[in-house]
PDB file of all heavy atoms in Angstrom:
ATOM      1  N   LEU A 301      29.965   7.896 -23.019  1.00 89.00           N
ATOM      2  CA  LEU A 301      29.473   7.387 -24.331  1.00 89.00           C
ATOM      3  C   LEU A 301      29.291   8.565 -25.242  1.00 89.00           C
ATOM      4  O   LEU A 301      28.308   9.438 -25.033  1.00 89.00           O
ATOM      5  CB  LEU A 301      28.161   6.610 -24.192  1.00 89.00           C
ATOM      6  CG  LEU A 301      28.137   5.569 -23.020  1.00 89.00           C
ATOM      7  CD1 LEU A 301      26.723   4.942 -22.979  1.00 89.00           C
ATOM      8  CD2 LEU A 301      29.194   4.450 -23.420  1.00 89.00           C
ATOM      9  N   VAL A 302      30.177   8.778 -26.128  1.00 88.00           N
ATOM     10  CA  VAL A 302      30.201   9.959 -26.933  1.00 88.00           C
ATOM     11  C   VAL A 302      29.865   9.744 -28.313  1.00 88.00           C
ATOM     12  O   VAL A 302      30.494   8.865 -28.957  1.00 88.00           O
ATOM     13  CB  VAL A 302      31.618  10.690 -26.898  1.00 88.00           C
ATOM     14  CG1 VAL A 302      31.609  11.987 -27.506  1.00 88.00           C
ATOM     15  CG2 VAL A 302      32.123  10.855 -25.413  1.00 88.00           C
ATOM     16  N   VAL A 303      28.875  10.451 -28.925  1.00 87.00           N
ATOM     17  CA  VAL A 303      28.483  10.262 -30.320  1.00 87.00           C
ATOM     18  C   VAL A 303      28.797  11.618 -30.985  1.00 87.00           C
ATOM     19  O   VAL A 303      28.304  12.658 -30.558  1.00 87.00           O
ATOM     20  CB  VAL A 303      26.994   9.944 -30.483  1.00 87.00           C
ATOM     21  CG1 VAL A 303      26.697   9.824 -31.925  1.00 87.00           C
ATOM     22  CG2 VAL A 303      26.631   8.612 -29.728  1.00 87.00           C
ATOM     23  N   ASP A 304      29.752  11.662 -31.975  1.00 87.00           N
ATOM     24  CA  ASP A 304      29.993  12.828 -32.745  1.00 87.00           C
ATOM     25  C   ASP A 304      30.280  12.484 -34.112  1.00 87.00           C
ATOM     26  O   ASP A 304      29.989  11.306 -34.571  1.00 87.00           O
ATOM     27  CB  ASP A 304      31.205  13.569 -32.089  1.00 87.00           C
ATOM     28  CG  ASP A 304      32.442  12.690 -32.010  1.00 87.00           C
ATOM     29  OD1 ASP A 304      32.509  11.714 -32.819  1.00 87.00           O
ATOM     30  OD2 ASP A 304      33.269  12.982 -31.166  1.00 87.00           O
ATOM     31  N   ASP A 305      30.767  13.460 -34.880  1.00 88.00           N
ATOM     32  CA  ASP A 305      31.003  13.261 -36.338  1.00 88.00           C
ATOM     33  C   ASP A 305      31.950  12.108 -36.617  1.00 88.00           C
ATOM     34  O   ASP A 305      32.030  11.456 -37.674  1.00 88.00           O
ATOM     35  CB  ASP A 305      31.558  14.540 -36.971  1.00 88.00           C
ATOM     36  CG  ASP A 305      30.504  15.630 -36.926  1.00 88.00           C
ATOM     37  OD1 ASP A 305      29.339  15.276 -36.652  1.00 88.00           O
ATOM     38  OD2 ASP A 305      30.862  16.800 -37.078  1.00 88.00           O
ATOM     39  N   GLU A 306      32.835  11.865 -35.646  1.00 88.00           N
ATOM     40  CA  GLU A 306      33.887  10.852 -35.793  1.00 88.00           C
ATOM     41  C   GLU A 306      33.262   9.409 -35.674  1.00 88.00           C
ATOM     42  O   GLU A 306      33.909   8.364 -36.009  1.00 88.00           O
ATOM     43  CB  GLU A 306      34.917  10.994 -34.668  1.00 88.00           C
ATOM     44  CG  GLU A 306      35.590  12.332 -34.714  1.00 88.00           C
ATOM     45  CD  GLU A 306      36.877  12.219 -35.481  1.00 88.00           C
ATOM     46  OE1 GLU A 306      37.849  11.878 -34.975  1.00 88.00           O
ATOM     47  OE2 GLU A 306      36.793  12.623 -36.749  1.00 88.00           O
ATOM     48  N   GLY A 307      32.193   9.314 -35.020  1.00 93.00           N
ATOM     49  CA  GLY A 307      31.548   8.031 -34.677  1.00 93.00           C
ATOM     50  C   GLY A 307      31.142   7.880 -33.211  1.00 93.00           C
ATOM     51  O   GLY A 307      30.730   8.871 -32.638  1.00 93.00           O
ATOM     52  N   PHE A 308      31.322   6.633 -32.686  1.00 94.00           N
ATOM     53  CA  PHE A 308      30.835   6.444 -31.355  1.00 94.00           C
ATOM     54  C   PHE A 308      32.104   6.032 -30.484  1.00 94.00           C
ATOM     55  O   PHE A 308      32.917   5.180 -30.876  1.00 94.00           O
ATOM     56  CB  PHE A 308      29.902   5.267 -31.358  1.00 94.00           C
ATOM     57  CG  PHE A 308      29.573   4.784 -29.927  1.00 94.00           C
ATOM     58  CD1 PHE A 308      28.940   5.656 -29.005  1.00 94.00           C
ATOM     59  CD2 PHE A 308      29.848   3.472 -29.583  1.00 94.00           C
ATOM     60  CE1 PHE A 308      28.617   5.182 -27.678  1.00 94.00           C
ATOM     61  CE2 PHE A 308      29.560   3.109 -28.245  1.00 94.00           C
ATOM     62  CZ  PHE A 308      28.909   3.849 -27.340  1.00 94.00           C
ATOM     63  N   THR A 309      32.276   6.720 -29.408  1.00 94.00           N
ATOM     64  CA  THR A 309      33.449   6.480 -28.468  1.00 94.00           C
ATOM     65  C   THR A 309      32.930   6.122 -27.191  1.00 94.00           C
ATOM     66  O   THR A 309      32.062   6.757 -26.533  1.00 94.00           O
ATOM     67  CB  THR A 309      34.320   7.747 -28.363  1.00 94.00           C
ATOM     68  OG1 THR A 309      34.675   8.107 -29.686  1.00 94.00           O
ATOM     69  CG2 THR A 309      35.530   7.461 -27.526  1.00 94.00           C
ATOM     70  N   VAL A 310      33.472   4.962 -26.628  1.00 95.00           N
ATOM     71  CA  VAL A 310      33.294   4.652 -25.251  1.00 95.00           C
ATOM     72  C   VAL A 310      34.555   5.060 -24.457  1.00 95.00           C
ATOM     73  O   VAL A 310      35.671   4.688 -24.831  1.00 95.00           O
ATOM     74  CB  VAL A 310      33.202   3.180 -25.009  1.00 95.00           C
ATOM     75  CG1 VAL A 310      32.907   2.793 -23.506  1.00 95.00           C
ATOM     76  CG2 VAL A 310      31.968   2.593 -25.867  1.00 95.00           C
ATOM     77  N   ARG A 311      34.406   5.993 -23.513  1.00 95.00           N
ATOM     78  CA  ARG A 311      35.555   6.385 -22.797  1.00 95.00           C
ATOM     79  C   ARG A 311      35.507   5.842 -21.353  1.00 95.00           C
ATOM     80  O   ARG A 311      34.538   6.076 -20.641  1.00 95.00           O
ATOM     81  CB  ARG A 311      35.589   7.983 -22.653  1.00 95.00           C
ATOM     82  CG  ARG A 311      36.928   8.430 -22.049  1.00 95.00           C
ATOM     83  CD  ARG A 311      36.988   9.879 -21.705  1.00 95.00           C
ATOM     84  NE  ARG A 311      35.802  10.258 -20.874  1.00 95.00           N
ATOM     85  CZ  ARG A 311      34.710  10.993 -21.337  1.00 95.00           C
ATOM     86  NH1 ARG A 311      34.718  11.375 -22.472  1.00 95.00           N
ATOM     87  NH2 ARG A 311      33.787  11.196 -20.443  1.00 95.00           N
ATOM     88  N   LEU A 312      36.510   5.030 -21.002  1.00 97.00           N
ATOM     89  CA  LEU A 312      36.567   4.312 -19.751  1.00 97.00           C
ATOM     90  C   LEU A 312      37.594   4.953 -18.836  1.00 97.00           C
ATOM     91  O   LEU A 312      38.813   5.131 -19.315  1.00 97.00           O
ATOM     92  CB  LEU A 312      36.864   2.885 -19.996  1.00 97.00           C
ATOM     93  CG  LEU A 312      35.975   2.121 -20.988  1.00 97.00           C
ATOM     94  CD1 LEU A 312      36.631   0.908 -21.539  1.00 97.00           C
ATOM     95  CD2 LEU A 312      34.636   1.838 -20.359  1.00 97.00           C
ATOM     96  N   THR A 313      37.274   5.323 -17.621  1.00 96.00           N
ATOM     97  CA  THR A 313      38.279   5.910 -16.727  1.00 96.00           C
ATOM     98  C   THR A 313      38.324   4.985 -15.510  1.00 96.00           C
ATOM     99  O   THR A 313      37.381   4.615 -14.928  1.00 96.00           O
ATOM    100  CB  THR A 313      37.744   7.273 -16.300  1.00 96.00           C
ATOM    101  OG1 THR A 313      37.517   8.076 -17.475  1.00 96.00           O
ATOM    102  CG2 THR A 313      38.852   7.927 -15.399  1.00 96.00           C
ATOM    103  N   ALA A 314      39.590   4.731 -15.110  1.00 96.00           N
ATOM    104  CA  ALA A 314      39.853   3.934 -13.917  1.00 96.00           C
ATOM    105  C   ALA A 314      40.640   4.743 -12.949  1.00 96.00           C
ATOM    106  O   ALA A 314      41.614   5.380 -13.216  1.00 96.00           O
ATOM    107  CB  ALA A 314      40.680   2.698 -14.313  1.00 96.00           C
ATOM    108  N   ARG A 315      40.084   4.760 -11.641  1.00 94.00           N
ATOM    109  CA  ARG A 315      40.782   5.464 -10.590  1.00 94.00           C
ATOM    110  C   ARG A 315      40.770   4.499  -9.380  1.00 94.00           C
ATOM    111  O   ARG A 315      39.862   3.788  -9.232  1.00 94.00           O
ATOM    112  CB  ARG A 315      39.938   6.698 -10.124  1.00 94.00           C
ATOM    113  CG  ARG A 315      40.150   7.948 -11.017  1.00 94.00           C
ATOM    114  CD  ARG A 315      39.425   9.066 -10.345  1.00 94.00           C
ATOM    115  NE  ARG A 315      39.724  10.311 -11.073  1.00 94.00           N
ATOM    116  CZ  ARG A 315      39.070  10.699 -12.044  1.00 94.00           C
ATOM    117  NH1 ARG A 315      38.006  10.028 -12.494  1.00 94.00           N
ATOM    118  NH2 ARG A 315      39.391  11.858 -12.672  1.00 94.00           N
TER     119      ARG A 315
END
Side-chain angles (χ1 to χ4, degrees):
Chain A
L301 308 175
V302 186
V303 180
D304 58 22
D305 296 342
E306 302 267 275
F308 171 63
T309 304
V310 180
R311 188 189 54 250
L312 307 161
T313 306
R315 282 188 170 83

